[in-house]
Amino acid sequence: MKTERNEGTVISVRGSVVDSRFSPGRLPAIHNVLHAGDDGRIRIEVMVQLNNEVVRGISLRPTQGLARGSKVTDTGQPFLIPVGKELLGRVFNVFGEPIDNADPPPTTDTRSLHGVPVPITQQSTVSEIFETGIKAADVLCPLERGGKAGLFGGAGVGKTVLLTEMIHNMVGHHHGISIFCGVGERCREGEELYREMKEAGVLPNTVMVFGQMNEPPGARFRVGHTGLAMAEYFRDAERQDVFLLIDNIFRFIQAGQEVSGLMGLLPSRLGYQPTLASDLAALEERICNTTTGAITSIQAVYVPADDFTDPSASHTFSHLTASIVLSRKRASEGFYPAIDLLQSGSKMLMPNIAGERHYRIAQEIRRNLTIYEELKDIIAMLGINELSREDQRTVYRARRLERFFTQPFHVTEQFIGKPGKTVSLADSLDGCERILNDEFADAPESALYMIGSIDEAVRGN
């Protein structure tokens, strides 16, 4: 226990950047938290030690009212985030303080914001598929348990619905915890998501953490670490599987870019921070599976100007094991979930991981869908009857597969009036295989639309 407070003085304030002078030999460590302002309201994270007396930090709160000569106090420790089962069903900010107008959770357990990645000797070396219960994702772009998947899609194509359904299935099948981390979220988006999760009944097993768009860059840069510290508690202490959703990973990189600029660092290519790779790795490398539990992550990824060579996109891709691409065209055609079946993919889809049968079925599905895509212009101009018999069979097969990959969700029951379906990977593969074998060549295409397992189409006939 500290006997005396280590106090210093503010010597400059430039936006969110605060320089403070301390007595020689009493310099705060990197990542230590300094309190300043009335009642310690302003919290500053030490980023650089400029010399043996002066530290430079980034404020995670607005610095209005802070002046030269103001007192700052070194807490002697990094940001500590409250953790525990009491967090479930609640909404927090970057400091772990509730922002849902309810009392703070009665937990006394805390964890440092800056967790250490699990040593490679303690990580699980087995690659396992993480079943989501969503046919299109499980068959064509399977997620890895303890891995990271990217979710690509514009506004209004069903990102939120897909994420909410995955949270629902996580609770029901994996008996796990979901943590939603909104990096640079608009307050409208956060409020809508909170309400939708409450209506869908998935909130009691979810923790939500937000760093809103109007907050200083330091807060937006650290909110991902806050959510991850909470996820690590449930994985390591409660030994549970955790589903971590980050929206949006590009805004995390953008906040780091702002922090870097404020700190006076020279920018690298396209204006990004010189520490882009290590900043992203510090977050991503903590997401992994151990022998007792796993953190499986889905991250919404914005690709600037659709340029996949942009440093933010290329560095993010290097960490991902699966890519789920949502298509506006499929959404407009009524295929929900609107997953682009040809653009989406996964590193897990290999014979030695997914299994020979799964790999073979997925490759055959892709082949049929690719041929159908190539023939669409000819069909539009000349009609399907001008195709060869073999091509006609391929087209009919592909159209049935497209409809089989639609699925009613539990979280949309009140909107579409159909009960939600969760389909196991085995049932999904069985259905695809039977369609590829032309068992449903005589069945109407509508019999395969918005069903769960293939047996429902048989009963529909």
Side-chain angles (χ1 to χ4, degrees):
M1 187 173 170
K2 297 183 80 170
T3 52
E4 63 172 302
R5 302 202 311 175
N6 184 16
E7 290 193 339
T9 309
V10 173
I11 57 174
S12 79
V13 182
R14 298 187 312 283
S16 294
V17 180
V18 181
D19 289 358
S20 309
R21 176 174 277 117
F22 286 81
S23 304
R26 305 203 64 187
L27 209 60
I30 301 288
H31 296 320
N32 269 18
V33 180
L34 311 179
H35 285 181
D38 303 331
D39 305 323
R41 181 184 57 82
I42 298 171
R43 301 181 196 181
I44 302 158
E45 183 176 13
V46 176
M47 304 295 274
V48 183
Q49 295 175 335
L50 296 177
N51 55 43
N52 65 343
E53 291 184 10
V54 180
V55 293
R56 177 169 291 168
I58 286 280
S59 173
L60 273 67
R61 282 221 165 107
T63 53
Q64 279 89 346
L66 198 62
R68 291 179 64 181
S70 298
K71 288 280 178 242
V72 286
T73 307
D74 176 22
T75 61
Q77 58 193 16
F79 278 110
L80 296 176
I81 306 302
V83 292
K85 288 183 174 179
E86 296 85 357
L87 271 56
L88 294 171
R90 303 294 302 277
V91 188
F92 300 93
N93 63 10
V94 65
F95 307 111
E97 299 167 345
I99 53 173
D100 52 4
N101 297 324
D103 294 331
T107 179
T108 54
D109 204 354
T110 57
R111 276 196 174 219
S112 168
L113 191 77
H114 302 279
V116 181
V118 177
I120 203 159
T121 52
Q122 294 174 25
Q123 292 185 23
S124 173
T125 54
V126 180
S127 290
E128 295 177 64
I129 286 180
F130 177 87
E131 283 194 39
T132 62
I134 297 165
K135 291 181 285 190
D138 286 346
V139 174
L140 293 173
C141 45
L143 274 56
E144 180 184 11
R145 182 175 176 268
K148 296 166 274 282
L151 181 62
F152 305 85
V157 292
K159 280 202 302 286
T160 304
V161 174
L162 191 63
L163 291 179
T164 316
E165 180 71 6
M166 285 182 173
I167 291 173
H168 177 278
N169 295 349
M170 177 74 184
V171 174
H173 290 266
H174 297 270
H175 306 292
I177 300 300
S178 298
I179 294 180
F180 182 89
C181 197
V183 183
E185 287 278 281
R186 299 170 185 86
C187 59
R188 168 187 63 77
E189 293 172 331
E191 192 273 333
E192 284 173 3
L193 187 69
Y194 175 79
R195 202 171 57 235
E196 284 170 13
M197 286 190 171
K198 201 169 187 178
E199 288 171 3
V202 298
L203 196 61
N205 287 283
T206 307
V207 182
M208 301 177 79
V209 189
F210 287 106
Q212 288 173 209
M213 206 171 250
N214 63 313
E215 294 184 27
R220 286 181 274 123
F221 186 56
R222 287 297 180 220
V223 71
H225 297 84
T226 300
L228 200 44
M230 294 175 177
E232 285 170 334
Y233 165 82
F234 285 109
R235 179 192 65 192
D236 301 336
E238 300 292 335
R239 299 182 168 230
Q240 286 182 296
D241 279 0
V242 184
F243 194 42
L244 177 67
L245 307 153
I246 302 176
D247 185 13
N248 184 310
I249 206 71
F250 174 75
R251 294 199 193 119
F252 165 76
I253 292 170
Q254 216 171 24
Q257 189 178 358
E258 290 178 51
V259 168
S260 174
L262 288 167
M263 297 299 294
L265 298 178
L266 282 172
S268 65
R269 194 160 70 89
L270 299 182
Y272 287 103
Q273 62 270 41
T275 54
L276 168 61
S278 55
D279 285 349
L280 189 60
L283 183 79
E284 300 279 12
E285 289 301 297
R286 289 165 63 185
I287 301 170
C288 65
N289 59 343
T290 65
T291 50
T292 56
I295 299 175
T296 303
S297 173
I298 286 201
Q299 304 167 9
V301 182
Y302 167 70
V303 180
D306 291 336
D307 177 14
F308 285 84
T309 63
D310 188 273
S312 67
S314 57
H315 280 93
T316 304
F317 284 135
S318 65
H319 293 279
L320 301 178
T321 52
S323 301
I324 300 173
V325 181
L326 296 182
S327 158
R328 193 173 300 283
K329 184 170 177 291
R330 282 184 63 78
S332 66
E333 291 169 351
F335 295 128
Y336 288 102
I339 294 173
D340 191 315
L341 304 174
L342 289 173
Q343 293 291 322
S344 304
S346 170
K347 292 177 183 173
M348 300 296 288
L349 206 51
M350 295 190 289
N352 59 325
I353 298 174
E356 195 70 49
R357 177 171 175 256
H358 186 167
Y359 175 76
R360 177 177 50 76
I361 291 170
Q363 291 300 98
E364 189 62 21
I365 290 167
R366 284 188 191 282
R367 190 185 71 81
N368 280 271
L369 291 171
T370 305
I371 293 171
Y372 176 41
E373 198 65 36
E374 291 168 354
L375 293 172
K376 274 182 177 176
D377 287 344
I378 296 171
I379 295 168
M381 287 187 291
L382 303 175
I384 197 166
N385 293 328
E386 295 300 312
L387 300 178
S388 68
R389 294 294 295 276
E390 183 54 41
D391 281 348
Q392 284 185 33
R393 275 200 294 271
T394 302
V395 167
Y396 291 138
R397 218 177 286 140
R399 288 174 63 86
R400 281 167 173 76
L401 283 167
E402 279 188 334
R403 280 149 184 78
F404 179 62
F405 280 128
T406 61
Q407 187 172 344
F409 283 172
H410 293 88
V411 296
T412 58
E413 281 180 13
Q414 66 265 43
F415 306 115
I416 63 173
K418 279 190 173 185
K421 307 285 183 185
T422 305
V423 187
S424 69
L425 177 58
D427 286 347
S428 300
L429 289 173
D430 184 47
C432 293
E433 192 169 43
R434 291 173 68 181
I435 293 170
L436 289 168
N437 291 337
D438 288 335
E439 280 189 38
F440 293 87
D442 298 328
E445 290 174 359
S446 57
L448 296 162
Y449 180 71
M450 280 291 172
I451 61 169
S453 67
I454 198 75
D455 295 334
E456 294 179 35
V458 177
R459 287 198 295 272
N461 277 349

